[in-house]
Structure formats: C-alpha cells, structure tokens
Amino acid sequence: MAVFSTACGSETRAAADRGGSATDGVLSDSVVTVPAVPTITLAALAPASYSGTLPCADCSGIRTTVALFPDSTYRLSERYEGKSTAVEVSMGRWEQRGGTLTLNGLARTMPFGVGGEDTLRLLDQSGKPIAGNAPVTLVRADSMDALRGQAGYTGTFSYLADAPTFRECGSGQTYPVLMTGGYQALERAYTAAKLPPGSGQQVVVLARFRARPNTMEGPKERDVMEIVRYLEPGANPDCR
C-alpha cells in the first residue's frame, strides 16, 4: 500500500507540474477553449437595406441605398448630390464570400467589406480598402427599405394563360405583373409584335414594385411589379 500511495502521489504531482489535474488517481489534461470566429450568414444580411454616401469623382457624393433580398437579388438607389436630383435605380445579384459582399450588376460590380451585420464598407475593384478620408460606409437601417418607388426597368415581358410576367434584366429574376396602371398599353404593344405564343418581348417600362398580395401564390418575399407606363421595346443583349 505504501508503494502504491507513493506512486499515485508522484503521478499527481507530475500532472500538476504539466498544468493538468488528477481525480481518484486518473489524470486529465486541461482543455483550452478557443473563441469561435463569428460567421456572417445570408440570414444576417438579408432582408435588409443599407444607406450612406459614397465617393463621387465629379459631385459632392453619391447618396446610396442598397436593398438586399433573400433570393440574392438587390435594388440599388443612387442620387448624385450637388449634380442632379434624379434618383437612379438598378438591380442585380449579390453574393457573399467570407467577409466580402459583392453587388454584380450588368454594367459594374461593387465589392463591400462586411462589418458584422450593421455596416458595408466600399472596397476598390481588387477587393482592397479604399485609402483616404472619403466616406465609404453604408449603415444598416432599422427597418427595411425595399426601394419600391417608380423607376425605369428593362426586361422581358411574357404573357401566357392570363399570367403576365416580367424578367428583369439586371437580376434575371422573374416577377408577376399586375394588370393595373399602365399594363394595358404594355399588353397592346406585346400583341402588336405578333410573337409566337409564349414568347417574350424585351421592353422598357416605368414601373414600381409592390409587396406580393396574400391571395397570390408564390414566395412572399418576392415582390410583384406594377406598370406605370410602357416606354418602348428594349434592345439590351446583356440581359440575364
């Protein structure tokens, strides 16, 4: 017994020297807990809208709002302060890889560094921080601004079985079209084109988005389109 007790005591002291512990003669190494790296998820980023002022080469700044939707589409509103009061709205697809979120439009891409869930910081085209003191940060709004004001959109209009749709060029996303407002003029132009049944026609319209009515089938997070005015046939070969 004396020999056994001495051995146990030696093992216990050795464990203590190594930073471990011994219980009833069984050794247990200390466990070091490494804090988890925060993960930025799609659910954390969208649906949400972010606003702020971004740099402008020939104006005092671009007042910017971007609305991110869970289907990976976005709407981007830009007003060139000190130069124009007009608001330009465009659409496209967004993607997030690690700490970078990129807006992919037809004419350009805009990379942002993601600052948690609350800020987007504009990066240069190589994905690097922009040097200088120019404002580059968009801040998450307390409530979602879906940018549903009227704007010009180019896309493919189709009409089949009393179900008109509009496939927007920049995002490639298809939206149901309400048969209200300026819809009749759009349908007349489509009919006059005498396209094969089920075919689409690229058009330019002044339109606004509406929240999908509860009575309409389909994903509730995806809006429907209301035509304000038919403008002209479209001719954008880069449409998604």
Side-chain angles (χ1 to χ4, degrees):
M1 288 296 293
V3 174
F4 180 77
S5 297
T6 301
C8 283
S10 299
E11 289 183 3
T12 302
R13 286 192 298 273
D17 291 340
R18 295 196 305 269
S21 63
T23 304
D24 295 332
V26 178
L27 300 180
S28 174
D29 291 334
S30 297
V31 177
V32 178
T33 302
V34 178
V37 176
T39 300
I40 301 168
T41 64
L42 184 150
L45 292 171
S49 58
Y50 300 77
S51 296
T53 300
L54 297 181
C56 179
D58 58 354
C59 68
S60 58
I62 305 173
R63 184 61 187 172
T64 304
T65 297
V66 58
L68 305 179
F69 298 91
D71 61 2
S72 295
T73 65
Y74 71 83
R75 291 176 202 147
L76 177 68
S77 167
E78 298 173 295
R79 186 179 75 245
Y80 291 75
E81 296 183 330
K83 183 178 180 180
S84 174
T85 58
V87 176
E88 299 179 9
V89 177
S90 57
M91 294 183 64
R93 293 271 179 178
W94 66 273
E95 64 176 345
Q96 176 233 333
R97 294 185 179 180
T100 301
L101 181 142
T102 304
L103 305 183
N104 295 306
L106 288 182
R108 58 177 171 164
T109 61
M110 297 177 68
F112 290 87
V114 180
E117 301 174 10
D118 297 325
T119 60
L120 301 177
R121 186 176 179 85
L122 184 67
L123 305 174
D124 66 22
Q125 288 301 302
S126 63
K128 305 293 185 181
I130 295 175
N133 298 320
V136 293
T137 301
L138 304 182
V139 179
R140 183 173 182 144
D142 292 334
S143 58
M144 171 73 167
D145 182 356
L147 298 178
R148 292 188 174 122
Q150 69 181 39
Y153 294 100
T154 300
T156 300
F157 175 76
S158 300
Y159 181 91
L160 182 64
D162 292 329
T165 60
F166 185 91
R167 183 177 177 85
E168 195 276 328
C169 269
S171 65
Q173 191 62 275
T174 299
Y175 300 88
V177 176
L178 300 176
M179 295 183 182
T180 58
Y183 171 77
Q184 293 301 324
L186 174 59
E187 184 181 302
R188 286 195 296 270
Y190 176 80
T191 302
K194 297 181 179 180
L195 300 171
S199 298
Q201 180 187 28
Q202 192 177 118
V203 296
V204 182
V205 296
L206 184 66
R208 62 170 66 94
F209 286 98
R210 300 286 193 191
R212 185 183 294 256
N214 292 329
T215 55
M216 183 178 289
E217 295 182 355
K220 297 305 178 185
E221 71 275 7
R222 188 173 303 166
D223 287 347
V224 298
M225 177 175 275
E226 182 180 50
I227 305 300
V228 176
R229 186 166 68 251
Y230 166 72
L231 298 178
E232 60 186 355
N236 189 335
D238 297 323
C239 271
R240 288 189 172 98

